[in-house]
Amino acid sequence: MAAIIEIPWWNSYRRLSTVLCSECRRPYTLKRMRPRPYSTATTSATKEPLTLNGKTYERDDWTNVPESILSALPRKLHVQPSHPISLTRKLITSHFPKPTYAHHSTFSPIATTHQNFDSLDFPPDHPGRSKTDTYYLNADTVLRTHTSAHQVDTFRANESEGYTISADVYRRDAIDRSHYPVFHQMEGARLWDRTKVPGGNIAKAVWADLETLPKHNLIVEDPNPPTHPERNPLQEGHHSQEEAEAIAAHLKRSLESVVVTIFARAKEAAIAAGDEAAKTEAPLRVRWIEAYFPFTSPSWEMEVFWQGDWLEILGCGVVKQSLLERAEVPQKLGWAFGIGLERIAMLLYSIPDIRLFWSNDQRFLSQFKEGEPMRRFVPFSKYPECYKDVSFWVAGSTSSAAGGAAGGTGPGNAQREFHENDFMEVVREVAGDTAEHVRLVDEFTHPVSGRKSRCYRVTYRSLEKTLRSAEANELHKKVEDILTERLGVEIR
Ligand code: PHE
């Protein structure tokens, strides 16, 4: 039987489907997560207000951001000269030339819940708002979970026809080699003004602009109609079919040329590294699939066939007119996209582990240089891993994702609901970047008592040195202690 994998909300626009696991080739089903009650696990007992960038934030029941995450705020990898995240940013922005596009990279990561969710039409019960998924400074303030948090403000500023926004974003998440609670995104948008286009004919103006974009000879699979009444609706009453189609075509062509460049560079780097297979590699395959975001319609994701699998690389769509009304530019219409920079950088430079981006080790940093041809990353060494299991009875109902009954009642209460992301955070807090992977290895319900047990395997590996067994034991013991103390679980 196919395993069922619950996927987090920011992937919840993905269609429900059965796919093959890239590692074991067994089929699994992607299941959209249900909204769930908020976890009440807090990470700090202190009541002191938080002071960040000179501003003070009172703590409340929603505060859940740990010190370890706050310490990432000043890093700003996306603007560090010669850092691979910054080089990736520059490669992409070069496709969105000034003055049509203005480039922003210094917006503060601290956003109001209005900016991050409400301004984008997220419904009040959207799971993305949950404390288990998002870092809250307090009930009204979050660390932005996506660059879209700045869409409405940037539309309102009305400085240019288009823009890109590059920034660090924050999400509570699983631990593995491609997930890190801080990562980087780039948002892009392009608008047209009905009052500035000859005869108000937006479709014609957009097609004319599309003609000026670079052409490519990539074969793109795009099997769906530009809009679909149920699956991917036109914003009726706001856009004509012709307008939506023209905007979609401009959006898709703009992004296809980005992906052509990225993969051409990755191929050059592979060939330069002596990878013979890269020379005869099958041509790049790209496809557009229908998607859903609360703030665009119709919406799509772009996927690229990469190392035997379809890899999702960006989300995009026609901007909801409600956002442009909110931004007081109701006469404008256009498109927006969001792309994750780590994933692109990993693929460009063959970087095998997302934690490396945070390394201050010169053996990592010295391999990237502004203005030089793209080179594959050469791993300096792979230090041995050390894994340890932890089994425990969970208090209350469990959820790796699916919701239990009512929300928890507060720290120290044994009936609190267990959420996997709270467990992940304990591991991160204790082990930092030495935690490489956390995996649920067993789960069962006691036939008589009905109690639920979980067993997780934590893989520890330092990227910089050999971890001694005693060190790993010490870390693991600490994880167990904090688990018991904070999450109210009982170690077995
Ligand atoms: N903000 C979305 C995400 O984080 C991506 C997106 C941006 C989608 C802009 C559509 C338009 O997944």
Side-chain angles (χ1 to χ4, degrees), residues 125-144:
D125 63 348
H126 193 284
R129 294 178 185 258
S130 154
K131 267 169 95 173
T132 56
D133 289 25
T134 295
Y135 291 109
Y136 280 84
L137 302 188
N138 58 36
D140 308 316
T141 323
V142 297
L143 296 180
R144 69 183 154 219

Side-chain angles (χ1 to χ4, degrees), residues 266-313:
K267 185 171 175 173
E268 283 160 28
I271 293 170
D275 180 344
E276 284 304 311
K279 290 187 186 156
T280 52
E281 223 167 51
L284 182 63
R285 280 177 72 194
V286 171
R287 71 180 182 193
W288 288 105
I289 59 169
E290 292 170 336
Y292 172 79
F293 301 98
F295 40 93
T296 50
S297 192
S299 310
W300 301 274
E301 279 169 15
M302 180 197 266
E303 292 188 339
V304 174
F305 200 70
W306 176 247
Q307 298 180 341
D309 259 314
W310 286 102
L311 179 74
E312 172 204 320
I313 63 167

Side-chain angles (χ1 to χ4, degrees), residues 426-447:
V426 171
V427 176
R428 286 200 192 277
E429 187 183 321
V430 171
D433 289 357
T434 304
E436 176 172 288
H437 194 162
V438 175
R439 183 161 76 84
L440 180 66
V441 285
D442 189 35
E443 186 179 22
F444 78 94
T445 305
H446 192 279

Side-chain angles (χ1 to χ4, degrees), residues 9-11 13 120 122 145-149 151 171 183 185-188 293 295-296 299-300 312 314-317 335-339:
W9 67 269
W10 49 85
N11 284 336
Y13 44 79
L120 294 159
F122 276 67
T145 63
H146 54 175
T147 41
S148 303
Q151 269 197 30
R171 293 178 190 175
F183 60 103
Q185 284 188 328
M186 187 191 297
E187 188 95 356
F293 301 98
F295 40 93
T296 50
S299 310
W300 301 274
E312 172 204 320
L314 59 86
C316 62
W335 54 250
F337 72 85
I339 188 166

